Amino acid sequence: MSIFTGAAVAIVTPFNEDTTVNYEKLDELIEYQIKNSTDAIVICGTTGEASTLSHEEHIDVIAHCVKTVNGRVPVIAGTGSNSTETAIYLSKEAEAAGADAVLLVTPYYNKATQGGLYEHFKDTADAINIPCILYNVPSRTGCNILPETAVKLAKDVKNIVAIKEASGNISQIAKLMHLADGCMDVYSGNDDQIVPIMSLGGIGVISVLSNVAPKQTHDICQACLDGDFKKAAEMQFDALPLIDSLFSEVNPIPVKKALNLMGYEVGPLRKPLTEMEEANANVLKENLKLYGIY
């Protein structure tokens, strides 16, 4: 059974001005998401600046999210690491905190072989009982999970059940779908590829766009799930200028700027991420207006 179908938000981690975690604001964002039809919450992912959270903060943010959501939608905790030992530790803590699943990014910097990836993900999944979603984003990690490796993991490890595909390589994703033949769910990891991936059999998206447009992102996915790809494509096209702006600088710089422009006051970024360049911010503002959410 799928962890979720539709649109999951890769939610930002709001900070106070001193860059401590703003838990009150996190609650507000979660309620906004659930009210606007988000199908799942992904906490402490790339968009949540997990790489600059301490282990203690990471675990506390996951636990806080689980408590606030209170079973209304699935909570998927980002627990991947370039260290297998750390990934196992964070995954165990997420399970203990009540997360419904974990999201495991490919080990970054190490650039493991396919055999190394297999052992890393298998060891991590074997250490817990909740479902695991693999996360393939080679542009950020320098490491690509080949379709054969992903499918072997899904067939060999009972709780590896899905993959978030953000390679941007539609040919690779099509091959993955063909080889998997239904043995694992596929989620788009790119907001501009929701409809193409779902047309191949994907069941949803783990989305940055959902931070600022949760209902619209859910509706794109729902149209695909309903088989109305013409309608879904039209909605996808309408969102493309905003999506482009949300990725005009490294994520989550633009999406945090967008939320601040919208009045959500999610605070600053943690270094080495810095504030958005003024020219890009002005284009983002215009595209938020064009999309009707600013």
Side-chain angles (χ1 to χ4, degrees):
M1 183 178 177
S2 302
I3 299 166
F4 75 94
T5 58
V9 61
I11 202 165
V12 305
T13 300
F15 295 133
N16 296 304
E17 285 307 311
D18 62 358
T19 76
T20 56
V21 177
N22 186 337
Y23 288 101
E24 183 178 346
K25 184 61 63 174
L26 179 59
D27 289 344
E28 182 182 338
L29 295 177
I30 290 168
E31 294 304 329
Y32 167 65
Q33 289 293 322
I34 293 174
K35 182 180 178 181
N36 285 278
S37 303
T38 282
D39 298 292
I41 307 283
V42 175
I43 190 78
C44 293
T46 305
T47 312
E49 295 178 77
S51 58
T52 55
L53 297 174
S54 69
H55 289 170
E56 292 76 17
E57 288 175 321
H58 198 133
I59 294 160
D60 285 348
V61 170
I62 291 168
H64 187 92
C65 179
V66 169
K67 182 178 180 182
T68 300
V69 171
N70 194 27
R72 289 175 289 173
V73 296
V75 173
I76 300 159
T79 56
S81 173
N82 66 330
S83 161
T84 305
E85 182 180 352
T86 301
I88 290 170
Y89 166 70
L90 291 174
S91 298
K92 285 182 173 180
E93 291 292 333
E95 181 176 29
D100 297 287
V102 296
L103 180 69
L104 301 172
V105 71
T106 48
Y108 38 89
Y109 189 75
N110 308 55
K111 296 179 72 173
T113 64
Q114 294 300 303
L117 290 175
Y118 179 88
E119 292 193 19
H120 171 82
F121 288 125
K122 185 179 187 303
D123 288 354
T124 305
D126 282 345
I128 58 176
N129 296 302
I130 56 176
C132 303
I133 304 173
L134 308 182
Y135 179 15
N136 193 33
V137 57
S139 65
R140 293 191 79 118
T141 65
C143 190
N144 183 34
I145 309 174
L146 293 178
E148 295 84 354
T149 305
V151 170
K152 181 172 171 55
L153 281 161
K155 290 181 175 178
D156 291 353
V157 185
K158 68 180 189 310
N159 58 330
I160 292 179
V161 300
I163 185 168
K164 175 186 177 183
E165 244 299 344
S167 66
N169 186 337
I170 291 293
S171 296
Q172 176 173 299
I173 296 166
K175 183 177 182 181
L176 169 65
M177 296 281 201
H178 172 64
L179 293 176
D181 194 25
C183 76
M184 71 189 311
D185 293 326
V186 178
Y187 298 105
S188 176
N190 291 327
D191 285 308
D192 61 353
Q193 293 184 337
I194 299 171
V195 177
I197 290 174
M198 292 190 72
S199 73
L200 291 169
I203 63 168
V205 63
I206 296 176
S207 170
V208 175
L209 175 65
S210 282
N211 279 279
V212 298
K215 182 65 167 60
Q216 294 92 327
T217 313
H218 165 87
D219 288 349
I220 293 170
C221 293
Q222 191 59 53
C224 291
L225 293 168
D226 292 342
D228 192 345
F229 287 98
K230 184 176 186 298
K231 177 182 177 182
E234 290 170 355
M235 290 189 287
Q236 174 92 82
F237 294 148
D238 287 344
L240 284 179
L242 177 55
I243 293 167
D244 287 346
S245 282
L246 290 173
F247 290 92
S248 60
E249 294 185 24
V250 68
N251 178 47
I253 291 173
V255 73
K256 272 200 151 178
K257 180 66 174 180
L259 285 165
N260 284 331
L261 286 168
M262 292 166 67
Y264 280 96
E265 298 179 0
V266 297
L269 300 132
R270 283 190 176 176
K271 291 180 180 179
L273 299 184
T274 52
E275 285 301 306
M276 196 172 190
E277 297 289 335
E278 185 177 358
N280 289 332
N282 288 336
V283 175
L284 172 64
K285 188 184 297 184
E286 286 306 308
N287 284 324
L288 285 167
K289 289 179 181 176
L290 286 172
Y291 203 55
I293 53 176
Y294 173 69

